[in-house]
Amino acid sequence: LTLFVQDIMGFSPLLTGFAFLPTTAAVVAASRIAPRLLAQAGPRPLMISGAALTTAGMVWLRQVSPSTGYLAGILGPVLLFGLGAGLLFVAVTYAALAGVQAQESGAASGLLNSMQQVGGSLGVAAVVTVAGGAAAGEEHLHRAALVSGIDNAFTLCVFFTVCVLLLALVPPPAGAQVTRR
């Protein structure tokens, strides 16, 4: 999306950074209300809602074209994505650490953070590879190639977020105790 905003929409790097601040604000807002929702509903509904919002944002981003404007085509999807991510981060962290004994909480938290970093790195590598591979076939048309690659990358992102949604929809195994706060 950064490439699209800079190379297709013509934003400077600084303006691009400002353009993504609403995403951060949405993540912060969602993660501030998530603990209250978590106490009322438990982690699973938040994971489902968060995954659905992130998926909706990614599906919306698949609609970008060279004529896409920021307010009409970028702001809405990144807000949805940010809200979904904020709900997911809190709910997944709670679910992952809820049944951990106090003496194991540091190790469990470290493992969770490590896996988030590894997963994020692998995800970015896959998305960039897909975007670059699609664009490589159309080198004579830089803008068209870039938009085509970005479209393929967002398609992969939709796949990833749908997988998260499907995992959130799967009920926990029998006997698993993830309780509300």
Side-chain angles (χ1 to χ4, degrees), residues 96-109:
L97 301 176
V100 176
Q101 295 179 5
Q103 65 269 23
E104 301 295 328
S105 61
S109 178

Side-chain angles (χ1 to χ4, degrees), residues 1 19 21-23 60-61 69-81:
L1 188 57
L21 284 177
T23 308
W60 191 349
L61 283 172
Y70 176 77
L71 290 176
I74 305 296
L75 182 60
V78 298
L79 285 173
L80 283 177
F81 182 84

Side-chain angles (χ1 to χ4, degrees), residues 68-152:
T68 295
Y70 176 77
L71 290 176
I74 305 296
L75 182 60
V78 298
L79 285 173
L80 283 177
F81 182 84
L83 290 171
L87 293 175
L88 271 169
F89 293 157
V90 172
V92 167
T93 300
Y94 177 79
L97 301 176
V100 176
Q101 295 179 5
Q103 65 269 23
E104 301 295 328
S105 61
S109 178
L111 180 61
L112 173 64
N113 282 318
S114 296
M115 291 301 99
Q116 287 174 334
Q117 294 297 316
V118 169
S121 298
L122 290 174
V124 168
V127 169
V128 169
T129 299
V130 166
E138 302 177 34
E139 290 178 27
H140 62 287
L141 300 171
H142 174 69
R143 288 174 60 87
L146 186 57
V147 172
S148 174
I150 288 169
D151 181 60
N152 287 349

Side-chain angles (χ1 to χ4, degrees), residues 1-13 16 20 61 63-70 74 135 138 141-151 154:
L1 188 57
T2 302
L3 288 173
F4 181 84
V5 171
Q6 287 184 358
D7 291 355
I8 303 300
M9 296 178 72
F11 284 34
S12 70
T16 299
F20 290 123
L61 283 172
Q63 310 305 311
V64 297
S65 71
S67 63
T68 295
Y70 176 77
I74 305 296
E138 302 177 34
L141 300 171
H142 174 69
R143 288 174 60 87
L146 186 57
V147 172
S148 174
I150 288 169
D151 181 60
F154 285 143

